[in-house]
Amino acid sequence: MAFGAALVLPGLVFAAILLWRYADAERHHYEEEALGTAQRIMAAVDRELVGIQSAAQALATSSSLLEGNFEAFQSQAEMTLRSWARQGTDNYAVVVRDTMGQQVANTRLPWGSSLPKGANLPIDQQVIATKQPVIQDLFTGATAGRPIISIRVPVLKDGTVTHVLSMAVEPRRIAEILLAQNLPASWVATVIDRADRVVARSRQHETFVGKAAPDEFLKASREADGIWEGRNLEGTEVLGAYARSGASGWTTFVGVPAEIVQAPLRRSLWTLFGLGTGLIGLSLLLARSFGRRIAVPVRGLADQAQRLGRGEPVVSPPSGLAEVDQVTGALASASTELHVREAALRASEARLWATQNNAAVGIAEVDRDGRFMSVNEARCKLTGHTREELIGQHFGHVTDPEILVHDLALFAQQVAGGLDAYTTDSEFRRKDGSSGWARVTSTAVRDAGGTFLYAVRVEDITERRQADRRQKLLIDELNHRVKNTLATVQSLAWQTARPDVPPQVAQERFQERLLALSRTHNLLNETHWEGPLSGRSSRRCSGPT
């Protein structure tokens, strides 16, 4: 089942990557379209403001205004507004104020009405000082009593500013420009002035006009154009773009709801999820079906492997899978070969065991701590211990302490790698209390890296040392007796060869005495030159000397 899933998952991962790239491309497309729309709206607003400024500047050159005929000017201004904005004259108003801020003409009121002082008079002073038009941010009009915007231009007479002409514009006129862009129903366009307040909005304009723009947007929108993602005034998560006007300094933001941007990705992910679930389910069903066809032969293969491990013969019935049959055949061949090798190994081990146990010398294997790992029968007989008593014992447990010191020093060198083999004579005490001697030859067995594994100690039996001692004793005794014999012969010769004895008689007596001496030697040979007779003979032979 994991194999089936593994076949499908790479394709699903690849599809997910493609979908993610598609969603990223869609996001980029929305960003570009929102930025283009924001720039287009800002250009439309700029055209409106420039047009209003041009109309205001044209009215500022009116002769009736320059001559101070404000009634005639108001009539002219009303006619101009009707001809300039036939379907929306209520969106505009022309107001003229003197340099002190007192209104002298206002198209919002009938001529002759009492006129108040203008609002936001510092802007008038800026116009008077610079003699340049000013596009004013949103403010509350003195006459209208509601938020409006205006373009203020100077009225010049002989190069001197005599009045300030203000052409007021209702914010809904800017909202109409936004609606004229035919934005998608879910998109929202907002115009923000330099004071970071909403001038117009394509949706819920009356609700949000004059409201402050979101702080997150104000912190992010430092450049002329850019992309921003966050929550708008309605609290909706949006992705959008903003563009700033070079003429007014205002900013237009076009926002697209985030769920609109993410909708293609969500749809694609749901599609991928459904398709992936179906493919994985189908893959698992197929994998289960094919897996059963594979699992049964594989379990049979495991059974054959267990039979091989137990040393039982391996059979190779056909399974229908070439690879499994090939492995089963290899196991059967290995089983046959192992049986042959095991038989040869058992025979070899039996011969080795028989050879070791029937050897005339003691053979033992000791570990690096000097403890017996295995011993043969001759080694057991050497000290009179059983095999069970010796296994685990230190090889020096019955050795004479003075001799053992030398043996242990040599063995330590052997374990450390300084010696491969050494031979020493060892005096030991048997289990029954008697003592004996053995000649020990210790040979190191190492691995391929030279590390000590164990040592083989071959111990010769005591009779060889006793034979050597007996041989030396016999030689010494022989030398002594030969000397006694020669002395005896010399004495016989002196005693026989007397001046008063005839030579013939002396010769006979000498021969008789030699024969007697010969019979004495024969008697000593029959007793192997041992015992009291040997001692007495020596004393007797030495006595006459």
Side-chain angles (χ1 to χ4, degrees):
M1 293 174 70
F3 180 70
L7 292 176
V8 177
L9 286 178
L12 294 179
V13 171
F14 180 70
I17 293 173
L18 291 180
L19 289 176
W20 189 263
R21 294 187 61 127
Y22 165 73
D24 188 64
E26 282 292 301
R27 177 189 175 93
H28 186 64
H29 167 72
Y30 276 112
E31 290 176 353
E32 288 187 342
E33 189 171 355
L35 181 59
T37 302
Q39 292 172 342
R40 186 172 67 251
I41 291 175
M42 195 73 258
V45 172
D46 282 349
R47 285 194 299 270
E48 177 71 12
L49 295 177
V50 169
I52 294 171
Q53 179 178 317
S54 298
Q57 287 176 323
L59 287 174
T61 61
S62 170
S63 57
S64 57
L65 178 61
L66 295 176
E67 292 172 359
N69 188 354
F70 300 118
E71 182 180 2
F73 172 76
Q74 183 165 333
S75 297
Q76 180 185 1
E78 290 174 350
M79 292 178 59
T80 301
L81 290 178
R82 284 194 294 272
S83 63
W84 184 65
R86 294 178 182 179
Q87 297 180 354
T89 55
D90 293 341
N91 291 329
Y92 304 96
V94 176
V95 180
V96 178
R97 292 176 297 276
D98 60 21
T99 56
M100 300 304 295
Q102 179 61 50
Q103 293 184 6
V104 295
N106 191 332
T107 60
R108 291 188 184 276
L109 300 173
W111 176 255
S113 301
S114 176
L115 299 178
K117 254 192 169 183
N120 209 347
L121 295 180
I123 302 298
D124 283 354
Q125 296 303 317
Q126 180 182 346
V127 173
I128 294 170
T130 62
K131 299 179 182 181
Q132 296 294 327
V134 174
I135 299 176
Q136 188 177 357
D137 292 333
L138 195 69
F139 71 100
T140 301
T143 302
R146 60 182 178 273
I148 59 174
I149 57 177
S150 70
I151 291 89
R152 302 189 184 195
V153 298
V155 178
L156 296 173
K157 185 177 182 180
D158 299 329
T160 302
V161 178
T162 60
H163 295 83
V164 175
L165 186 147
S166 175
M167 194 163 185
V169 183
E170 294 289 341
R172 65 173 174 268
R173 172 55 191 155
I174 306 300
E176 291 173 357
I177 296 174
L178 299 181
L179 294 174
Q181 303 304 313
N182 296 320
L183 297 177
S186 58
W187 292 30
V188 178
T190 306
V191 178
I192 303 170
D193 63 14
R194 290 185 297 267
D196 301 328
R197 290 175 297 177
V198 175
V199 176
R201 206 165 183 270
S202 62
R203 189 170 63 193
Q204 296 181 313
H205 165 75
E206 297 298 335
T207 302
F208 293 103
V209 65
K211 301 289 184 180
D215 291 338
E216 292 79 6
F217 172 75
L218 297 177
K219 293 177 182 178
S221 59
R222 300 303 181 188
E223 300 178 355
D225 301 316
I227 305 297
W228 181 74
E229 184 175 7
R231 294 189 178 276
N232 61 10
L233 291 171
E234 300 175 30
T236 303
E237 192 76 24
V238 295
L239 170 67
Y242 59 89
R244 184 168 287 113
S245 169
S248 63
W250 293 359
T251 301
T252 297
F253 175 76
V254 176
V256 183
E259 54 182 44
I260 300 297
V261 178
Q262 297 170 359
L265 177 60
R266 284 200 300 269
R267 288 194 301 270
S268 301
L269 289 177
W270 277 111
T271 302
L272 177 63
F273 177 76
L275 180 61
T277 302
L279 288 176
I280 290 178
L282 178 61
S283 175
L284 293 181
L285 290 176
L286 293 175
R288 184 179 179 85
S289 175
F290 285 106
R292 287 178 176 176
R293 296 181 58 188
I294 297 174
V296 173
V298 169
R299 283 196 291 268
L301 187 62
D303 294 338
Q304 298 299 328
Q306 291 176 353
R307 291 173 60 88
L308 177 64
R310 294 192 297 266
E312 299 175 2
V314 175
V315 295
S316 55
S319 64
L321 294 177
E323 293 81 0
V324 173
D325 291 344
Q326 186 177 5
V327 175
T328 305
L331 288 177
S333 300
S335 176
T336 303
E337 185 175 350
L338 282 176
H339 280 295
V340 174
R341 291 186 179 181
E342 286 176 357
L345 181 60
R346 283 193 295 269
S348 177
E349 288 179 346
R351 288 194 302 272
L352 179 60
W353 181 254
T355 301
Q356 181 174 346
N357 277 288
N358 291 305
V361 295
I363 301 175
E365 295 177 359
V366 297
D367 59 17
R368 62 186 307 112
D369 295 326
R371 300 188 180 277
F372 290 113
M373 299 166 57
S374 69
V375 293
N376 69 346
E377 189 63 26
R379 178 59 184 80
C380 295
K381 292 179 179 179
L382 189 66
T383 59
H385 294 86
T386 64
R387 182 176 283 104
E388 290 74 15
E389 290 174 335
L390 290 178
I391 298 301
Q393 282 282 2
H394 193 275
F395 65 76
H397 69 113
V398 293
T399 306
D400 181 82
E402 295 182 0
I403 299 177
L404 180 61
V405 172
H406 179 62
D407 194 354
L408 290 177
L410 294 175
F411 183 74
Q413 295 183 37
Q414 189 174 64
V415 172
L419 290 175
D420 286 331
Y422 68 89
T423 301
T424 181
D425 289 336
S426 175
E427 184 179 6
F428 61 88
R429 183 169 296 278
R430 295 187 180 90
K431 186 177 180 181
D432 59 8
S434 62
S435 61
W437 283 87
R439 172 156 292 184
V440 180
T441 300
S442 178
T443 304
V445 178
R446 308 182 190 277
D447 61 12
T451 302
F452 180 89
L453 298 178
Y454 60 93
V456 177
R457 294 173 66 88
V458 179
E459 302 182 8
D460 201 356
I461 59 177
T462 308
E463 282 72 7
R464 177 176 297 178
R465 182 176 181 87
Q466 292 175 341
D468 291 342
R469 293 176 62 186
R470 186 182 298 112
Q471 184 177 9
K472 183 176 183 301
L473 178 62
L474 289 175
I475 291 174
D476 291 342
E477 183 69 14
L478 178 61
N479 289 333
H480 178 70
R481 291 178 183 272
V482 167
K483 290 179 180 179
N484 286 341
T485 301
L486 291 177
T488 301
V489 171
Q490 183 181 12
S491 177
L492 292 175
W494 280 105
Q495 290 178 3
T496 304
R498 292 180 179 177
D500 57 343
V501 177
Q504 184 66 30
V505 174
Q507 181 179 358
E508 290 177 356
R509 291 179 179 177
F510 183 72
Q511 288 179 351
E512 290 176 358
R513 292 178 178 178
L514 285 179
L515 289 175
L517 184 61
S518 175
R519 286 193 296 271
T520 302
H521 277 281
N522 288 337
L523 182 60
L524 288 175
N525 286 335
E526 291 175 359
T527 60
H528 300 286
W529 293 73
E530 290 181 348
L533 181 59
S534 174
R536 289 195 301 270
S537 174
S538 298
R539 287 193 295 271
R540 282 200 306 270
C541 291
S542 60
T545 305

